[in-house]
Amino acid sequence: MTPLTVTPGTAPGGRPLLTVAGEIDLGNAGLLARELEALETADTAAERVVVDLTAVDYLDSAGLSVLFVHAERLEIVVSSLLEPVLTYSGLTELAVVRAP
């Protein structure tokens, strides 16, 4: 198992950015949820948050659930590995999903 890291930053254009790496599963999805919730209470609450998942090796239903809760505020950057998962789950209908 690859440990999960979530690193806040700023995307080009000044929007909030979370760079996520490792595996997202039931045991650690709460970390991602807490970081996204922290951005909702910050001054950037009205902005779309960029979530870079290009370094995520594994994403289970717990991780998808976290993304669904915040979908309307997310722009998700995803590799070809995870793109089908987001498409089949229906997340691409609710959030902006794009390749790097």
Side-chain angles (χ1 to χ4, degrees):
M1 175 178 202
T2 308
L4 178 65
T5 61
V6 181
T7 307
T10 304
R15 292 183 296 153
L17 167 69
L18 289 180
T19 302
V20 185
E23 298 181 7
I24 306 171
D25 58 25
L26 181 60
N28 61 24
L31 172 60
L32 178 59
R34 286 188 297 277
E35 292 291 339
L36 286 168
E37 289 163 6
L39 290 174
E40 286 183 353
T41 60
D43 292 336
T44 59
E47 296 181 72
R48 189 171 294 274
V49 176
V50 178
V51 179
D52 184 345
L53 299 179
T54 56
V56 170
D57 304 323
Y58 176 80
L59 174 68
D60 76 2
S61 60
L64 281 172
S65 294
V66 170
L67 295 173
F68 268 101
V69 167
H70 302 277
E72 71 280 351
R73 291 195 55 234
L74 301 181
E75 177 179 328
I76 303 169
V77 182
V78 64
S79 67
S80 60
L81 174 70
L82 292 183
E83 189 274 330
V85 173
L86 300 187
T87 299
Y88 296 136
S89 72
L91 192 58
T92 56
E93 300 297 319
L94 302 173
V96 174
V97 178
R98 65 176 177 83

